[in-house]
Amino acid sequence: MAAAATAISLPHSVSPPLQVTRRRPAPPACSHSERGVSFDPGSAFYRSDSAAGRDLAILAATLHRRHGRLDPSAPFLCLDAMCGCGVRALRYLAQAGADFVWANDANEALRPIILTNLSRFERGSPPAEAGRRRWVVSHNDATRLLAERYLRREYFDVIDVDSFGGDAAYVRAALLALKIGGLLYLTSTDWRSARGYGSRSSLSSYGAYVRPMPYPNEVGLRMVIGGAAREAALLGFHIRPVFSYFAYHGPIYRVMVQLCNGKDNDSSNYGFISHCKSCGQSQTFGFDELGRISCGCTDRTVGPLHDASFLTEMRSLADEWGWAYTSENGVTLEKLLSMMIEESDPRLPPGYIRLDEISRRAKVNSPPLSTLINSLRKEGFSACRSHIGTNVIKTNCPISSCINVAREIRNLR
């Protein structure tokens, strides 16, 4: 597996090649755009609501290209395994500075629209780059394509798999086709498994047996991270979560992880989450504690969802590009990334607490969210909002103390 660290120059070895022998006619005008990049979705499945997830991918890929690679002089290569109309592939070219992008979609009927969209970048390239091959389009099963790239020793800096459902069969092949230190962007829309209604499915796909929990949106993200960690370990690697993003439409669970060389012998970030239905408190347990699981232990063994320093750089880059304070489809990146940075506090346990649960147990009206957070912080606890749920808090404060604080806010104690 160490060979994965040195990839060959893919643009000179791609198969099948995309021959650019003459200038294509100008693509037709279209009204769709994301952050200034115009495209035509055609008949492909496209959701403008997912633009924020693509924004995060472009920010992360750009930072990785600038200073996250083992060999900064090598071509920066991206693979979009399920590209749809090609908007993500186009944005990797136009905005993330990719030297080469492989755009793949199993539906060959989408080929004309993908070619049309990617040719927009070709026409906008400087004259010196006009004859340089910057992208290729193929129509293969994603797992087969990724496996073929690995067998050809063609490795990518960023692999984006925007899949539908919860079948994670492609994860192992994607890790094999990824450069050491590269970024893998994973997707799941399997809300049933995240909510504990498809435990057999989550066990087979992600190695996680999920039971119903009061914070299924975060459980879904951790389910995807855990599945990737398991697959990486089988291959002799380990992964580091860069960020985790939950979007309500769908719902969609998106996780960006970085592939790291060597097995991670420290299992402190991989374990089990329990929730006590009696008192409402959540806890984590390591593998060596399975026989001693009971309510009352507050030791934390499960790692955070994000890398705070990387997210801070993403926020700075979004500000530099003028993306931070502009709202795209109702999402403001500065607000989203700031919440994700707060969620990265290593003192925070997994899960979140709903305000209505606190108010129900305290038998008071729900206190204002900001007031409760500030009160918990004054008590010495870590507390913040969460992008994963509305009207919820993430805190290391036991729920019993949250109840007391809520009563104090309402002057009932």
Side-chain angles (χ1 to χ4, degrees):
M1 297 305 173
T6 56
I8 59 177
S9 181
L10 186 62
H12 302 292
S13 61
V14 293
S15 175
L18 177 65
Q19 301 294 338
V20 183
T21 57
R22 64 180 184 274
R23 182 171 291 277
R24 297 180 182 275
C30 61
S31 58
H32 288 78
S33 68
E34 287 185 7
R35 301 292 182 185
V37 174
S38 298
F39 63 97
D40 180 8
S43 61
F45 179 78
Y46 166 76
R47 299 189 74 159
S48 59
D49 293 337
S50 298
R54 290 185 282 270
D55 286 347
L56 297 176
I58 299 304
L59 293 170
T62 302
L63 291 173
H64 182 59
R65 175 181 61 81
R66 289 180 178 180
H67 52 71
R69 298 186 291 157
L70 297 178
D71 182 6
S73 64
F76 188 63
L77 313 175
C78 300
L79 188 151
D80 188 356
M82 300 179 183
C83 70
C85 68
V87 59
R88 289 189 308 280
L90 180 58
R91 293 188 64 180
Y92 281 123
L93 282 167
Q95 296 173 324
D99 293 300
F100 180 84
V101 170
W102 191 305
N104 177 78
D105 196 277
N107 186 358
E108 194 165 358
L110 296 179
R111 185 174 185 83
I113 194 64
I114 299 172
L115 292 175
T116 297
N117 285 329
L118 291 181
S119 68
R120 298 177 191 279
F121 174 79
E122 180 184 302
R123 290 180 61 82
S125 298
E129 299 182 0
R132 180 181 170 194
R133 183 167 51 188
R134 299 290 300 276
W135 48 271
V136 69
V137 177
S138 64
H139 303 284
N140 294 312
D141 172 79
T143 302
R144 178 179 176 181
L145 172 71
L146 293 164
E148 287 177 347
R149 305 282 59 82
Y150 165 68
L151 293 173
R152 290 176 179 270
R153 300 171 65 83
E154 297 170 352
Y155 306 103
F156 293 81
D157 295 279
V158 176
I159 295 179
D160 190 325
V161 191
D162 189 17
S163 62
F164 179 82
D167 184 5
Y170 61 83
V171 174
R172 187 178 304 183
L175 290 170
L176 286 171
L178 192 65
K179 291 183 183 180
I180 300 297
L183 301 180
L184 175 59
Y185 204 19
L186 300 172
T187 307
S188 172
T189 60
D190 187 5
W191 61 269
R192 295 191 76 257
S193 291
R195 283 163 171 73
Y197 303 142
S199 297
R200 293 184 183 275
S201 175
S202 62
L203 186 62
S204 61
S205 295
Y206 302 102
Y209 192 85
V210 180
R211 299 292 296 156
M213 303 279 271
Y215 38 87
N217 301 337
E218 181 172 329
V219 169
L221 293 172
R222 292 186 178 278
M223 179 179 71
V224 177
I225 294 173
R230 181 189 66 166
E231 293 294 337
L234 289 171
L235 299 173
F237 302 130
H238 67 281
I239 56 105
R240 178 180 68 90
V242 175
F243 67 82
S244 307
Y245 174 58
F246 173 78
Y248 288 94
H249 67 278
I252 301 175
Y253 309 88
R254 298 223 70 180
V255 172
M256 181 76 82
V257 300
Q258 183 175 37
L259 180 65
C260 304
N261 204 7
K263 286 189 175 182
D264 186 1
N265 294 322
D266 181 8
S267 60
S268 63
N269 289 329
Y270 195 71
F272 300 87
I273 303 171
S274 71
H275 177 77
C276 179
K277 293 183 178 179
S278 176
C279 73
Q281 185 66 36
S282 294
Q283 306 168 63
T284 62
F285 296 91
F287 285 89
D288 57 347
E289 298 176 291
L290 283 180
R292 304 191 301 275
I293 292 180
S294 62
C295 188
C297 173
T298 57
D299 289 341
R300 178 178 168 277
T301 60
V302 177
L305 290 168
H306 324 284
D307 183 314
S309 61
F310 198 96
L311 286 174
T312 301
E313 292 186 75
M314 288 173 63
R315 185 175 61 183
S316 298
L317 182 60
D319 189 37
E320 175 187 329
W321 285 356
W323 291 8
Y325 296 95
T326 58
S327 177
E328 291 277 329
N329 299 294
V331 177
T332 303
L333 284 179
E334 195 283 332
K335 181 178 179 181
L336 172 63
L337 289 167
S338 293
M339 280 196 290
M340 293 168 74
I341 290 169
E342 287 192 332
E343 289 176 329
S344 305
D345 188 335
R347 295 174 295 171
L348 292 173
Y352 44 77
I353 305 175
R354 298 182 183 276
L355 256 64
D356 56 5
E357 182 176 3
I358 295 175
S359 62
R360 178 178 61 82
R361 293 178 181 273
K363 295 181 173 58
V364 298
N365 292 329
S366 293
L369 188 62
S370 57
T371 302
L372 180 59
I373 290 174
N374 290 333
S375 297
L376 291 174
R377 289 173 176 173
K378 289 178 180 178
E379 294 289 331
F381 296 105
S382 176
C384 68
R385 295 174 184 265
S386 175
H387 90 277
I388 303 172
T390 58
N391 211 35
V392 305
I393 61 169
K394 287 183 70 68
T395 181
N396 60 349
C397 177
I399 192 170
S400 57
S401 297
C402 290
I403 292 170
N404 291 334
V405 171
R407 287 173 175 166
E408 288 180 351
I409 293 174
R410 293 302 185 187
N411 296 318
L412 292 179
R413 202 185 105 176

